């Protein structure tokens, strides 16, 4: 009948509209993707952690909670100085964040009561994989076995805290001079750490159209080129999956 044909035509039109109006599923970041990227650069020689600043999500590669040499990690000095320190500590910590100046970082540590106070703050704040056994730049102590350690996961959560406080602009190091490039449509701020025990680390806050993420890449025995390539690959994945 005419009514039956009209009913079938209506259903066919609705079905077509559902197919044509269906939006593609958004890509999402996950730990498997990070592991896949890391596996191309030495597996156990690298760890990656990503923390989107506007959410409670975290994405960790397999080694993200393992301890790595904390080269370039000024974040806990800054956060602790502003939480428990005085004006001198805060000023020195701000300088260390802007310039990656070891003496300024050491002065800030002294102003909050020394390494023991910094380690107490780290423990109280839940950063269980992070500890400082020597001052910044103290190569002799490092050679004697005293070392500073952190995990990519700890560092990424510290970095996210800095971003949440609106202080990302303090990280002024020229990452482009190392070869780290901002994906299209994003801006990046960060630090680099290198040297002791063949470590090469990047701590990057990347801001895109739909949000901001803290990205930490920690490596050993990969050198600059390997660490840079890995960092760029991770930044591109983060941008494609959660920032666009």
């Amino acid at each position: 009948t005419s009514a039956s044909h009209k009913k079938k035509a209506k259903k066919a039109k609705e079905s077509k509209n559902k197919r044509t109006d269906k939006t593609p599923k958004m890509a999402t970041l996950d730990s498997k993707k990070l592991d896949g990227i890391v596996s191309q650069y030495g597996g156990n020689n690298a760890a990656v952690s990503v923390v989107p600043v506007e959410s409670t999500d975290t994405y960790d590669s397999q080694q993200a909670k393992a301890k790595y040499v904390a080269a370039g990690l000024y974040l806990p000095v800054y956060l602790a100085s502003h939480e428990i320190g005085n004006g001198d500590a805060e000023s020195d910590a701000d300088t260390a964040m802007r310039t990656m100046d070891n003496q300024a970082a050491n002065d800030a540590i002294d102003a909050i009561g020394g390494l023991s106070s910094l380690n107490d703050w780290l423990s109280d704040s839940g950063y269980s994989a992070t500890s400082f056994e020597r001052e910044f730049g103290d190569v002799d102590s490092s050679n004697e076995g005293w070392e500073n350690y952190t995990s990519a996961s700890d560092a990424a959560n510290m970095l996210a805290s800095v971003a949440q406080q609106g202080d990302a602009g303090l990280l002024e190091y020229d990452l482009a001079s190392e070869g780290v490039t901002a994906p299209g449509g994003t801006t990046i701020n960060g630090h680099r750490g290198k040297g002791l025990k063949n470590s090469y680390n990047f701590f990057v806050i990347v801001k895109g159209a739909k949000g901001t993420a803290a990205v930490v890449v920690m490596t050993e025995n990969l050198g600059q080129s390997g660490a840079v390539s890995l960092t760029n690959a991770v930044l591109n994945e983060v941008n494609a999956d959660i920032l666009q």
Side-chain angles (χ1 to χ4, degrees), residues 10 92-93 96 161 170 182 184:
K10 183 179 179 181
D92 288 329
S161 293
L170 286 173

Side-chain angles (χ1 to χ4, degrees), residues 9-48:
K10 183 179 179 181
K11 286 185 176 181
K13 184 177 180 180
E14 289 174 349
S15 178
K16 179 181 178 182
N17 287 340
K18 286 180 180 179
R19 291 196 300 271
T20 56
D21 292 343
K22 187 177 180 181
T23 56
K25 184 178 180 180
M26 290 289 290
T28 56
L29 189 66
D30 58 35
S31 294
K32 287 185 178 180
K33 284 186 179 180
L34 291 182
D35 282 332
I37 296 171
V38 171
S39 66
Q40 301 175 45
Y41 297 90
N44 291 341
N45 289 325
V48 174

Side-chain angles (χ1 to χ4, degrees), residues 59-73:
Y59 306 100
D60 289 339
S61 72
Q62 188 173 3
Q63 299 294 319
K65 297 188 184 303
K67 292 186 177 184
Y68 282 72
V69 173
L73 186 73

Side-chain angles (χ1 to χ4, degrees), residues 29 34 38 46-52 59-61 63-66 68-73 75 150-161 171 189-191 193 200-206 213-219 227 230-232 234-235 238:
L29 189 66
L34 291 182
V38 171
V48 174
S49 183
V50 178
V51 178
Y59 306 100
D60 289 339
S61 72
Q63 299 294 319
K65 297 188 184 303
Y68 282 72
V69 173
L73 186 73
L75 301 168
T150 191
S151 67
S153 180
D154 273 8
N157 280 287
M158 293 181 210
L159 193 59
S161 293
L171 287 80
N189 293 84
H191 282 169
Y200 218 104
N201 307 325
F202 286 104
F203 310 92
V204 185
I205 296 172
V206 54
V215 177
V216 171
V217 176
M218 308 197 73
T219 74
L230 172 56
T231 302
N232 284 334
V234 172
L235 287 174
V238 169

